[in-house]
C-alpha cells in the first residue's frame, strides 16, 4: 500500500513539475495568465511611436502592439525607455517584446529573434534650409562634419563606422538632435526616413535630402527562442499588412499636426 501511494505521489509530483516547466517556457501561456503583455519601446520616433496629445505613446507600432494584445485577449502595457536600453531590458525580463521601428541587423540577431519584416526604411540626411553645411546625402559629403544621431541606432552605427572623420554627437532622440541642428550646433542629422520627414515637417528651419544612405527593414523582436510569441506577432503582422500604408500615413499626419515638443 505504502509503495503504491509513494508511486502515485511521485507521478503527481512529476506531472506538477512538468506542468510548471512547460508553462514557464511557453511565453504566451504566461502572458495570458498575467493578463498583460509588455511592449518595450522608445516613443521618440514618429510615426512609429511618439507621445500623442494625451502624452501617451501612440503610433504605428503601438497600434500593432494593441492588436497583438487583443489577439491574446490581454491588456497592453507600454514601457517607454531609452532606445539603447531596449535589448538589455527585453533580455532582462522587463518586457515581452520590442517594437520600435527596430531594424533587423546581424549583430542584433545574436541577442534577439526578429519577426517577419513589416516596413522598409532608409537612412536620410537632415540639414538646415539656409546654408546647409552638408551639400548632399552621401558618405563623402558627411566626412569631417558634426553629425547628430540617436544613440545606438543604425544611423549612429552607419555614421560611426562608414563616415571618415565625422564627429558623432549622440542624443536620446533624433527629435532632440533635430532641435540642435536647427540651433546651429550640428552640420546634419542622420535618421530613418519617416522620422526624418516628420521632424522636418514640424520644424521650418530644416529640410531632408531625397537621396538615401542605406536601406533597412523593421521587425519586432522577442527573446531568443520565444517562438510561441513570435507566431502570434507574425500572424497579426500578416493580417495588418494591407492596411500598413494607411496606418503609417494616419500617424504621420497626426504627429506632423502636433507642434514639436
Ligand atoms: N531603425 C533604427 C534602428 O533600429 C532606429 C530606430 C529608433 N527607434 C526608436 N523608437 N527610437 O536602429
Amino acid at each position: 500500500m505504502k509503495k503504491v501511494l509513494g508511486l502515485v505521489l511521485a507521478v503527481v509530483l512529476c506531472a506538477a513539475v512538468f506542468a510548471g516547466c512547460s508553462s514557464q517556457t511557453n511565453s504566451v501561456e504566461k502572458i495570458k495568465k498575467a493578463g498583460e503583455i509588455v511592449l518595450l519601446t522608445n516613443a521618440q520616433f514618429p510615426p512609429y511611436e511618439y507621445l500623442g496629445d494625451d502624452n501617451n505613446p501612440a503610433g504605428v507600432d503601438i497600434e500593432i502592439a494593441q492588436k497583438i494584445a487583443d489577439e491574446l485577449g490581454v491588456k497592453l502595457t507600454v514601457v517607454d525607455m531609452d532606445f539603447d536600453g531596449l535589448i538589455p531590458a527585453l533580455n532582462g525580463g522587463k518586457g515581452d517584446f520590442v517594437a520600435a521601428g527596430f531594424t533587423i541587423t546581424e549583430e542584433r540577431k545574436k541577442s534577439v529573434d526578429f519577426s517577419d519584416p513589416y516596413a522598409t526604411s532608409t537612412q536620410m540626411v537632415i540639414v538646415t534650409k539656409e546654408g546647409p553645411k552638408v551639400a548632399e546625402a552621401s558618405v563623402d559629403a558627411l566626412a569631417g562634419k558634426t553629425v547628430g544621431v540617436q544613440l545606438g541606432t543604425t544611423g549612429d552605427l552607419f555614421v560611426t563606422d562608414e563616415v571618415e572623420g565625422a564627429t558623432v554627437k549622440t542624443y536620446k532622440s533624433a527629435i532632440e538632435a533635430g532641435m540642435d541642428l536647427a540651433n546651429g550646433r550640428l552640420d546634419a542629422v542622420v535618421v530613418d526616413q519617416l522620422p526624418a520627414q516628420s521632424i522636418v515637417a514640424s520644424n521650418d528651419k530644416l529640410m531632408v535630402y531625397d537621396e538615401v544612405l542605406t536601406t533597412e527593414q523593421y521587425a519586432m523582436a522577442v527573446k531568443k527562442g520565444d517562438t510561441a510569441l513570435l507566431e502570434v506577432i507574425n500572424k497579426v503582422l500578416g493580417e495588418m499588412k494591407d492596411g500598413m500604408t494607411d496606418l503609417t500615413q494616419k500617424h504621420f499626419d497626426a504627429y506632423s499636426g502636433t507642434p514639436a515638443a
Side-chain angles (χ1 to χ4, degrees), residues 167-220:
T167 302
V168 184
K169 278 184 119 185
T170 55
Y171 292 83
K172 294 266 185 207
S173 84
I175 299 172
E176 259 178 67
M179 291 193 288
D180 254 13
L181 173 64
N183 292 332
R185 290 192 205 100
L186 295 171
D187 298 329
V189 168
V190 170
V191 64
D192 303 46
Q193 177 182 20
L194 294 181
Q197 291 168 350
S198 299
I199 288 168
V200 164
S202 54
N203 195 323
D204 266 356
K205 288 190 180 163
L206 304 178
M207 59 171 260
V208 57
Y209 287 124
D210 289 337
E211 294 73 29
V212 307
L213 297 172
T214 59
T215 299
E216 38 199 72
Q217 288 198 301
Y218 295 165
M220 304 203 165

Side-chain angles (χ1 to χ4, degrees), residues 118-129:
Y118 62 93
T120 299
S121 183
T122 55
Q123 290 300 313
M124 298 189 92
V125 179
I126 308 179
V127 291
T128 51
K129 280 183 194 162

Side-chain angles (χ1 to χ4, degrees), residues 84-195:
D84 66 321
L86 289 172
I87 290 184
L90 178 68
N91 287 330
K94 301 240 158 51
D96 298 300
F97 68 123
V98 170
F102 205 44
T103 301
I104 303 173
T105 71
E106 290 310 313
E107 191 59 30
R108 288 174 185 165
K109 274 188 193 168
K110 290 180 194 160
S111 41
V112 297
D113 282 348
F114 282 103
S115 71
D116 295 336
Y118 62 93
T120 299
S121 183
T122 55
Q123 290 300 313
M124 298 189 92
V125 179
I126 308 179
V127 291
T128 51
K129 280 183 194 162
E130 249 174 72
K133 302 231 182 67
V134 171
E136 59 173 25
S138 71
V139 173
D140 287 346
L142 288 166
K145 305 288 185 190
T146 304
V147 185
V149 296
Q150 183 179 23
L151 180 64
T153 58
T154 45
D156 180 4
L157 293 176
F158 182 86
V159 180
T160 304
D161 295 347
E162 311 286 335
V163 179
E164 191 107 5
T167 302
V168 184
K169 278 184 119 185
T170 55
Y171 292 83
K172 294 266 185 207
S173 84
I175 299 172
E176 259 178 67
M179 291 193 288
D180 254 13
L181 173 64
N183 292 332
R185 290 192 205 100
L186 295 171
D187 298 329
V189 168
V190 170
V191 64
D192 303 46
Q193 177 182 20
L194 294 181

Side-chain angles (χ1 to χ4, degrees), residues 39-53 55-66 76 78-83 86 97-103 108 118-119 121 150 153 172-175 191-192 194-196 198-199 218-221 247-248 250-252 254-256 258 261:
L39 162 69
L40 302 169
T41 194
N42 168 255
Q44 301 286 339
F45 199 70
Y48 290 94
E49 43 270 329
Y50 55 96
L51 296 178
D53 293 338
N55 236 23
N56 281 323
V60 175
D61 285 332
I62 313 297
E63 284 208 43
I64 301 172
Q66 184 59 56
L76 173 69
V78 181
V79 176
D80 182 14
M81 56 180 298
D82 286 348
F83 181 80
L86 289 172
F97 68 123
V98 170
F102 205 44
T103 301
R108 288 174 185 165
Y118 62 93
S121 183
Q150 183 179 23
T153 58
K172 294 266 185 207
S173 84
I175 299 172
V191 64
D192 303 46
L194 294 181
S198 299
I199 288 168
Y218 295 165
M220 304 203 165
L247 183 64
T248 309
K250 180 181 97 176
H251 284 288
F252 186 87
Y255 178 80
S256 305
T258 359

